[in-house]
Amino acid sequence: YSRASEKERNKNIFVIRTEHLEKDWTTIDIMLGGNGTEGMQILHKNAWSKNINNSSGGGGIKINHPSNNAPNKTLSHQGRLNLCRALCDEIQIYKKLIRLAVNIDVESENQSLNELLHTCPNESREVKVCQ
């Protein structure tokens, strides 16, 4: 997006956040004239969705990746900080996209930024220049 021409910048941007897949998918479906239910039905019927199970916690979905079977699923605090630093440029693009998305309201934007800050505590809410 940062290299897009002025004509391309006048396009609507829709974002589907993995951690809020069902909500974002439904919102976009409604914005595009759907009823909000057909899209998720298609997703659940899709071949790759065999690993998607309804979670019991909030009506969302849980994606089971093969890597979830790894014996050690933890990342040290320092490892997480290193990963966040290595992904700094991608994180800044994520923040830009969340703000530009026509399907993400202010409350959802704040929720995603709070989740980001929880994961990467040295990040800021604002887009920054990575070093």
Side-chain angles (χ1 to χ4, degrees):
Y1 183 80
S2 60
R3 294 184 213 138
S5 69
E6 191 60 38
K7 182 178 177 183
E8 292 169 326
R9 289 184 184 171
N10 291 329
K11 305 288 183 188
N12 287 330
I13 295 175
F14 296 92
V15 170
I16 297 178
R17 302 163 293 165
T18 304
E19 65 277 16
H20 302 286
L21 177 65
E22 190 166 353
K23 178 183 179 195
D24 291 346
W25 188 290
T26 301
T27 300
I28 292 170
D29 184 44
I30 292 169
M31 290 177 79
L32 295 176
N35 62 13
T37 61
E38 292 179 25
M40 286 310 295
Q41 290 172 357
I42 292 169
L43 178 67
H44 288 293
K45 288 180 183 177
N46 211 344
W48 67 268
S49 68
K50 291 178 183 174
N51 288 330
I52 298 178
N53 301 318
N54 285 328
S55 67
S56 58
I61 61 173
K62 178 182 178 187
I63 301 177
N64 296 318
H65 296 285
S67 61
N68 286 352
N69 297 325
N72 183 355
K73 300 180 200 175
T74 61
L75 184 62
S76 70
H77 177 72
Q78 187 59 50
R80 184 178 304 274
L81 293 177
N82 291 341
L83 188 57
C84 291
R85 189 170 42 254
L87 294 174
C88 183
D89 289 328
E90 288 79 5
I91 291 170
Q92 305 321 304
I93 292 168
Y94 174 78
K95 288 190 274 189
K96 287 179 187 178
L97 288 172
I98 291 296
R99 290 198 170 99
L100 291 170
V102 296
N103 63 298
I104 305 292
D105 60 21
V106 174
E107 182 181 334
S108 296
E109 176 186 329
N110 286 328
Q111 181 181 15
S112 287
L113 291 174
N114 289 339
E115 291 165 354
L116 172 64
L117 294 176
H118 178 75
T119 303
C120 296
N122 292 339
E123 250 325 307
S124 67
R125 295 180 73 77
E126 302 303 319
V127 175
K128 67 180 184 180
V129 176
C130 299
Q131 298 179 12

